[in-house]
Amino acid sequence: MRLIQCDHQGQVRAALVESEEQVRLLDCDTYTLANRAISAGKPLSDMLTEALTDTRLDYQALVDAKQLLPPLTHTDPAHCLVTGTGLTHLGSADTRSAMHAKAQAAEEDMTDSMRMFKLGVEGGKPDAGQLGAQPEWFYKGDGQCVVAPEADIPSPAFAEDAGEEPELAGLYVIGDDGQPWRVGYALGNEFSDHVTERFNYLWLAHSKLRACSFGPELLIGELPAHLEGTSRIQRSGETVWEKPFLTGEANMAHSLANLEYHHFKYPGFRRPGDVHVHFFGTATLSFADGIKVREGDRFEINIHEFGRALRNPLRVETDTQTISVKSL
């Protein structure tokens, strides 16, 4: 099953994707649906069936009218935390090290990125009941940094780069007792400033404080172990860069369970009622191929199993406002 969310008559409503052309409206949004399932102790799919209405909508019309929304949202953006993990995919270390520095076999010559990647390869998929290696972790922001599918993704005026990162994202709701519940998975464009990151890896935290997008569809149920996708950049209707990418646990150094554990082990990330969007990493970047994006370029990320592609045009902000703090 796959869900979307849309603006329907001024309300946030979830809808079941019935085909490429048609969605069927639910009587609530995804967050409400998830909390119903938690309270009832039932699978989300059961609650979804009970929430179906007789209203069907034209999928393309929603896209054209820019009524698509991220497939999971919170009414208060401050209660949606957006985070991620890096160096999780087989091949990601090569991409990162090409940005940072040499990465040879000798331990003393390894970059920190290669050491982190090596930890994941050796201990990122622990046996049941065992703790695995910690991944790299980063914070992107709260729900205010999330851009809806088809909407412009902004790059601030002070940014050095505006690069896509095609990833999977896990979407979660925290129950009243602090238990994290995975609602499902979505395509994501984690979107980062790779020039800033490349200058010094200690600026990674700065490079991640950018907008992002995920969706448009939420995949409910088990995630296939092997997934093949395509990431591309469109400019004035022409493809200026395109590359396949692999994801899913079969192509990762870490298990999803290990990544989830090392995020939700912190009590601050188990606050009842919160929504979490957690990006699982990538190994494919146009930046690594020397691509420089421009205003108006459109990012497109597609994996067949996730339905409609995630698409966002780039908008480069020109506001160079200087921020100064005033003393009370």
Side-chain angles (χ1 to χ4, degrees):
M1 288 183 172
R2 301 195 306 274
L3 290 180
I4 65 163
Q5 278 197 139
C6 62
D7 179 342
H8 180 68
Q9 299 177 351
Q11 294 184 326
V12 179
R13 297 282 287 275
L16 175 68
V17 178
E18 293 189 321
S19 69
E20 293 182 5
E21 295 79 27
Q22 181 175 273
V23 299
R24 185 174 175 182
L25 207 63
L26 273 60
D27 66 8
C28 63
D29 62 358
T30 307
Y31 181 79
T32 299
L33 184 71
N35 279 289
R36 285 180 187 174
I38 294 170
S39 297
K42 293 183 178 180
L44 187 64
S45 56
D46 289 357
M47 305 309 295
L48 188 159
T49 301
E50 295 177 15
L52 288 171
T53 72
D54 293 329
T55 302
R56 289 176 166 84
L57 303 174
D58 183 277
Y59 201 165
Q60 187 59 46
L62 293 174
V63 173
D64 294 341
K66 296 191 179 299
Q67 290 177 300
L68 287 181
L69 299 172
L72 176 65
T73 51
H74 194 289
T75 54
D76 180 359
H79 285 278
C80 172
L81 297 180
V82 187
T83 56
T85 48
L87 296 170
T88 54
H89 282 61
L90 303 174
S92 59
D94 291 338
T95 299
R96 183 76 67 85
S97 288
M99 291 164 53
H100 289 170
K102 61 182 179 180
Q104 304 301 323
E107 181 71 26
E108 62 272 17
D109 292 333
M110 280 188 179
T111 62
D112 286 342
S113 295
M114 284 301 295
R115 290 191 183 96
M116 182 68 71
F117 177 73
K118 187 170 180 282
L119 284 173
V121 170
E122 294 174 350
K125 293 182 176 179
D127 294 333
Q130 302 296 313
L131 298 183
Q134 288 191 127
E136 177 191 56
W137 181 95
F138 57 83
Y139 173 71
K140 284 197 69 69
D142 63 15
Q144 289 184 317
C145 79
V146 177
V147 173
E150 303 291 333
D152 290 352
I153 194 163
S155 180
F158 57 76
E160 300 290 339
D161 177 52
E164 86 298 330
E165 295 209 9
E167 306 189 16
L168 292 180
L171 309 183
Y172 307 86
V173 169
I174 310 300
D176 290 341
D177 59 354
Q179 170 65 46
W181 293 92
R182 188 191 316 109
V183 183
Y185 304 93
L187 287 177
N189 183 351
E190 192 255 298
F191 192 69
S192 298
D193 183 340
H194 301 107
V195 172
T196 293
E197 178 194 349
R198 182 178 61 180
F199 181 82
N200 189 309
Y201 75 93
L202 294 178
W203 280 0
L204 175 72
H206 287 279
S207 76
K208 295 298 186 181
L209 293 174
R210 301 292 186 269
C212 64
S213 188
F214 62 91
E217 302 186 14
L218 165 65
L219 178 67
I220 295 172
E222 292 300 313
L223 185 73
H226 175 80
L227 290 163
E228 300 181 17
T230 303
S231 181
R232 65 175 58 89
I233 297 172
Q234 294 276 318
R235 179 176 298 160
S236 302
E238 300 290 331
T239 299
V240 296
W241 178 85
E242 179 175 304
K243 202 165 191 176
F245 67 95
L246 302 176
T247 189
E249 281 196 353
N251 301 294
M252 296 173 66
H254 290 261
S255 66
L256 296 180
N258 190 53
L259 299 180
E260 291 172 334
Y261 167 75
H262 283 294
H263 177 68
F264 290 111
K265 69 183 181 184
Y266 297 103
F269 295 156
R270 302 195 303 272
R271 186 171 57 186
D274 280 3
V275 164
H276 285 253
V277 179
H278 193 71
F279 288 94
F280 291 131
T282 188
T284 303
L285 308 172
S286 64
F287 177 80
D289 291 339
I291 299 298
K292 181 71 174 178
V293 294
R294 303 175 185 172
E295 168 91 18
D297 285 358
R298 187 174 70 186
F299 304 111
E300 294 189 3
I301 300 169
N302 180 70
I303 296 177
H304 173 74
E305 288 82 353
F306 283 80
R308 186 176 287 266
L310 174 61
R311 309 190 307 177
N312 298 98
L314 174 66
R315 173 170 52 85
V316 179
E317 297 180 333
T318 57
D319 181 8
T320 56
Q321 179 184 6
T322 300
I323 305 299
S324 61
V325 176
K326 296 182 178 180
S327 180
L328 290 174

